């Protein structure tokens, strides 16, 4: 596959994903944005955690979630969990 074809294919995949997101966003209560992905979920529990070194990270548990993942097999998952040192919005 040529570079232009690959770029076009990825652009089409991302546009399809955006359309799916736009269709589903109103069916969920929360939009969760992390440094790596965007999630839609109906239940969210965000806990700040401090480790032994004194660093703070976030433990984000979601139920009934949709995951913005261009290459993932399943975008709708029963539950998802994210541990991150970055911001969670």
């Amino acid at each position: 596959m040529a570079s232009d074809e690959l770029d076009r294919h990825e652009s089409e995949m991302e546009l399809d994903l955006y359309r799916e997101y736009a269709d589903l966003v109103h069916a969920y209560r929360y939009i969760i944005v992390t440094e790596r992905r965007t999630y839609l979920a109906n239940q969210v529990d965000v806990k700040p955690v401090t480790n032994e070194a004194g660093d703070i990270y976030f433990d984000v548990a979601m139920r009934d979630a949709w995951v913005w993942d261009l290459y993932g097999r399943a975008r709708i998952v029963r539950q998802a969990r994210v541990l991150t040192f970055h911001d969670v919005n």
Side-chain angles (χ1 to χ4, degrees):
M1 187 178 278
S3 178
D4 290 342
E5 290 176 22
L6 182 59
D7 289 342
R8 186 172 48 252
H9 178 69
E10 285 186 345
S11 294
E12 289 172 4
M13 286 176 53
E14 190 158 6
L15 182 58
D16 289 344
L17 187 59
Y18 175 78
R19 287 179 180 143
E20 183 178 334
Y21 171 86
D23 289 342
L24 293 173
V25 70
H26 301 292
Y28 289 89
R29 291 183 66 191
Y30 302 98
I31 300 171
I32 302 93
V33 180
T34 67
E35 79 280 3
R36 299 199 57 193
R37 288 196 174 77
T38 298
Y39 302 85
L40 301 174
N42 284 322
Q43 291 181 328
V44 179
D45 184 26
V46 180
K47 294 180 186 172
V49 180
T50 304
N51 65 13
E52 299 82 26
D55 299 319
I56 297 174
Y57 65 92
F58 297 98
D59 183 350
V60 184
M62 296 167 267
R63 295 181 77 51
D64 186 25
W66 179 89
V67 184
W68 181 293
D69 187 355
L70 196 59
Y71 299 104
R73 289 187 204 176
R75 284 193 270 283
I76 297 176
V77 295
R78 178 170 281 153
Q79 58 187 346
R81 186 172 178 202
V82 176
L83 303 175
T84 182
F85 283 96
H86 297 279
D87 291 340
V88 175
N89 296 308

